[in-house]
Amino acid sequence: MEDKLLQRVRRIYAAVKAVEEKDSKKLKATVITTDKVRGVFLDFCRGFSDEKLSNYAHLVIHNIANLCNHLRKWAEHNSEDKGMVDKVIGQSLELQIIKDLSNNDKHGYPPRNGGHSGKYPKLDKINRVMRLATKAKAGSTIGMTLGADGIPRFFGDGNAKAVITGNV
């Protein structure tokens, strides 16, 4: 049972990794050259339709939201209090919203009685953007330039990756 739970957690990590892109060569901009202008167009959604972006976002949401069912079974199988899972969810607005977003995708919007959170959350404006993040230390930097070939180049000691975002 514990192996299945760990396997489920690894699936969550795999779902998150599937929506991140760190290889700058895969994020190449379109270089536009005419006799009057030279420019670049950089779109981090490149190759992803709105439906594909939404599918990736919901994959992560569903994997996280449904982990609680596996945790309840694990607790029951290991003579632990499975009610603790619900207690933790009841104390976390973030987990309640994740469960609501998953249920909205499964059952449709709006949720009955505001859902688990009581907030009627809705996911929209799903996009793919470049996230630049410094390390958690003084003096950490991260920056991006664009080469003439359209390939982004990053400098500094921070992290850069294209990630899927959305408004809740």
Side-chain angles (χ1 to χ4, degrees):
M1 185 70 176
E2 195 164 316
D3 286 346
K4 290 192 183 271
L5 185 59
L6 290 173
Q7 185 180 50
R8 186 71 182 198
V9 171
R10 284 193 293 271
R11 280 182 53 198
I12 292 172
Y13 279 99
V16 170
K17 280 189 173 251
V19 300
E20 297 178 337
E21 182 55 66
K22 295 179 182 179
D23 184 354
S24 62
K25 291 181 180 127
K26 293 182 179 177
L27 303 169
K28 185 176 178 178
T30 302
V31 178
I32 304 161
T33 306
T34 69
D35 56 337
K36 297 187 184 227
V37 69
R38 180 176 173 112
V40 292
F41 176 72
L42 184 55
D43 178 12
F44 297 110
C45 290
R46 190 176 189 161
F48 289 81
S49 65
D50 289 346
E51 295 78 13
K52 192 170 190 175
L53 285 171
S54 180
N55 190 51
Y56 277 131
H58 284 95
L59 175 65
V60 173
I61 289 166
H62 289 305
N63 274 310
I64 294 169
N66 294 317
L67 180 62
C68 64
N69 298 324
H70 295 271
L71 291 170
R72 280 187 203 101
K73 282 189 177 190
W74 178 89
E76 189 174 18
H77 187 264
N78 289 281
S79 302
E80 297 290 339
D81 180 9
K82 66 181 182 178
M84 289 299 294
V85 175
D86 295 318
K87 183 178 179 183
V88 169
I89 292 168
Q91 294 173 346
S92 171
L93 180 60
E94 294 85 356
L95 290 175
Q96 293 167 18
I97 289 173
I98 290 286
K99 287 184 67 67
D100 287 345
L101 294 174
S102 178
N103 284 335
N104 291 347
D105 189 52
K106 183 178 177 183
H107 300 292
Y109 190 85
R112 194 174 342 146
N113 301 322
H116 295 276
S117 67
K119 305 264 183 208
Y120 296 89
K122 190 174 192 178
L123 178 64
D124 63 4
K125 297 184 181 171
I126 300 170
N127 198 2
R128 191 168 186 229
V129 300
M130 176 56 67
R131 185 179 78 189
L132 304 175
T134 60
K135 291 187 177 181
K137 66 176 188 175
S140 179
T141 62
I142 183 70
M144 181 180 93
T145 61
L146 204 53
D149 58 0
I151 296 175
R153 289 174 176 78
F154 304 100
F155 60 89
D157 63 345
N159 298 309
K161 57 186 164 186
V163 297
I164 293 177
T165 64
N167 288 347
V168 177

